Amino acid sequence: MQIKKTMMTAASALALMATAAVAEDMTIVSWGGAYSASQQNAYHDPYMAMHPDVKIINDESSAEAVAKLRAMNEAGNVTWDVVDVVAADAIRLCDEGLAMEIDADTQLAPAPDGTPASKDFGDLLVSPCYIPQIVYSTTFGYRTDLVGDTPPSNICDVFDLAKYPGKRSLEKRPINNMEWALLCDGVAKADVYDVLATEEGQKQALAKLDTIRDSVIWWSAGADTPQLLADGEVVMGSTYNGRLFALIEEQKQPVGMMWDAQVFDLDGWIIPTGLSAERQARALDYVYFATDTQRLADQAKYISYGPARASSAPLVGKHASLGIDMAPHMPTDPNNAKNTFLYNYEFWADYRDDIDAKFQAWLAK
């Protein structure tokens, strides 16, 4: 029986599991690379140590989560238990009934001082189905040995082939690319989404992207740009700030980070609808554990993403193996956040399918 909404607490979830048969493997979907490694260290391994009967299987299909969950739901065979998605995708999945609603104050852990989860997460609870983990940004890395004496510092340097010749890597989707294109075609930051909502604005963004199209390698997985940069196949490329942190600080590659017009976004969990009662109970127990104050702070030991809970921020310290302070590497650090671009979740929840179809058609020309 499909459960549309449950008010099950962690205690009742555990009671239900105690009466069930030995739990099956739990499939958790995420993005792979350094990000999944940080989740393995901060969430998965400690959870499995507490629950020896549970084996967490990692799936790296988050980029295709919406399409795959739609297909699973239509087939009546949901094989994923917990899914990591960006906020706009969570809004879409919730609106379509593909993600279960969560009552933050009964199904998520309070802060250590008793502050309810709803207040601890605050405005980052952008959907009743969404449990935020981290604040991250999409920004650009560049090869320090390929950009001459003046490294790129402005987002529009991405479009300047004369000043910075060579290949770029951009994500194979319209999000962020369309916004950056309009910013670099003279549209004011405050007007970007109003312009992008129009046919003319969409054409304007694609026309700007046309100016560098022949110099772009398109990526789909978060690990792609770091590898392209490490191999020297691109002079600059967009990716997630945590991936660049790993490339620069852990791998010691000749790469720099450009923070200008970095796009802030959220990443977090949804639990699919259509799970059995036992699987849903286990998923609820997992997210209760994985999104508590300490666990979110622990993730920041392995990757430079800001924890989504206010109570976690003071617990962020040094990198687990490098011993460096993590705070200056966060996208929210004042030195890095001088010119940010605020991602509009609602816009992309409403316009994603239509603009994505146009973007993919433009790519195919």
Side-chain angles (χ1 to χ4, degrees):
M1 178 178 67
Q2 179 171 312
I3 299 177
K4 294 184 178 178
K5 182 176 181 181
T6 177
M7 298 293 289
M8 191 182 301
T9 64
S12 60
L14 287 170
L16 176 57
M17 288 185 290
T19 63
V22 175
E24 297 179 356
D25 295 340
M26 181 163 60
T27 299
I28 296 183
V29 183
S30 190
W31 301 90
Y35 185 55
S36 286
S38 73
Q39 292 175 321
Q40 188 74 40
N41 285 313
Y43 310 149
H44 302 347
D45 287 345
Y47 187 81
M48 288 189 290
M50 293 171 60
H51 302 279
D53 59 321
V54 176
K55 179 183 178 184
I56 291 175
I57 297 174
N58 286 295
D59 186 305
E60 299 179 2
S61 301
S62 282
E64 306 166 281
V66 174
K68 289 195 171 185
L69 282 170
R70 285 170 175 166
M72 288 180 190
N73 186 266
E74 187 174 343
N77 182 29
V78 179
T79 60
W80 293 347
D81 296 283
V82 182
V83 186
D84 186 309
V85 292
V86 295
D89 284 350
I91 293 170
R92 289 200 292 167
L93 290 166
C94 198
D95 289 346
E96 295 177 26
L98 301 179
M100 67 172 284
E101 292 190 10
I102 302 292
D103 184 272
D105 291 340
T106 62
Q107 294 175 304
L108 302 179
D113 66 358
T115 299
S118 61
K119 292 185 178 180
D120 205 19
F121 283 106
D123 293 341
L124 301 188
L125 290 172
V126 297
S127 164
C129 301
Y130 197 46
I131 312 164
Q133 293 173 70
I134 53 104
V135 178
Y136 74 97
S137 75
T138 303
T139 189
F140 279 82
Y142 58 88
R143 286 283 302 215
T144 56
D145 56 345
L146 298 178
V147 295
D149 296 331
T150 307
S153 60
N154 184 290
I155 187 61
C156 298
D157 289 336
V158 174
F159 294 87
D160 193 339
L161 294 173
K163 187 175 182 181
Y164 298 103
K167 294 288 187 180
R168 288 92 165 99
S169 59
L170 295 174
E171 189 172 6
K172 197 176 182 180
R173 66 173 189 168
I175 294 173
N176 300 333
N177 294 323
M178 303 286 270
E179 289 97 322
W180 287 324
L182 289 178
L183 285 173
C184 295
D185 204 45
V187 177
K189 185 189 293 187
D191 298 331
V192 164
Y193 286 110
D194 288 338
V195 173
L196 195 54
T198 67
E199 288 278 346
E200 295 77 10
Q202 293 159 22
K203 290 178 181 177
Q204 181 182 354
L206 292 174
K208 183 65 175 178
L209 288 167
D210 258 329
T211 65
I212 59 170
R213 176 174 171 164
D214 291 343
S215 297
V216 172
I217 296 174
W218 300 97
W219 62 268
S220 298
D224 291 349
T225 286
Q227 190 62 57
L228 290 167
L229 286 167
D231 293 342
E233 293 188 35
V234 297
V235 65
M236 64 180 73
S238 68
T239 190
Y240 313 123
N241 74 282
R243 304 297 184 113
L244 290 172
F245 171 85
L247 192 67
I248 296 166
E249 299 295 340
E250 296 176 5
Q251 301 177 32
K252 304 299 182 184
Q253 293 287 341
V255 173
M257 193 166 342
M258 182 176 70
W259 292 103
D260 187 58
Q262 60 166 320
V263 182
F264 277 1
D265 201 352
L266 302 176
D267 207 76
W269 303 116
I270 62 97
I271 297 174
T273 53
L275 302 181
S276 68
E278 292 79 13
R279 288 176 61 200
Q280 187 181 83
R282 176 63 77 188
L284 283 165
D285 186 60
Y286 172 82
V287 297
Y288 186 97
F289 171 81
T291 61
D292 72 14
T293 295
Q294 188 61 57
R295 250 47 62 179
L296 293 186
D298 286 348
Q299 188 177 10
K301 295 178 183 178
Y302 304 99
I303 200 163
S304 56
Y305 296 142
R309 297 186 77 131
S311 62
S312 299
L315 304 181
V316 173
K318 296 181 181 295
H319 190 276
S321 59
L322 299 177
I324 61 175
D325 289 330
M326 291 300 287
H329 298 279
M330 298 294 173
T332 49
D333 182 83
N335 290 323
N336 302 331
K338 293 176 181 177
N339 182 34
T340 61
F341 187 87
L342 300 180
Y343 178 79
N344 189 318
Y345 315 113
E346 290 79 11
F347 175 89
W348 282 110
D350 292 340
Y351 285 87
R352 174 67 186 275
D353 289 340
D354 178 56
I355 295 180
D356 192 56
K358 294 174 181 175
F359 185 82
Q360 300 305 328
W362 169 79
L363 278 179
K365 288 181 181 178

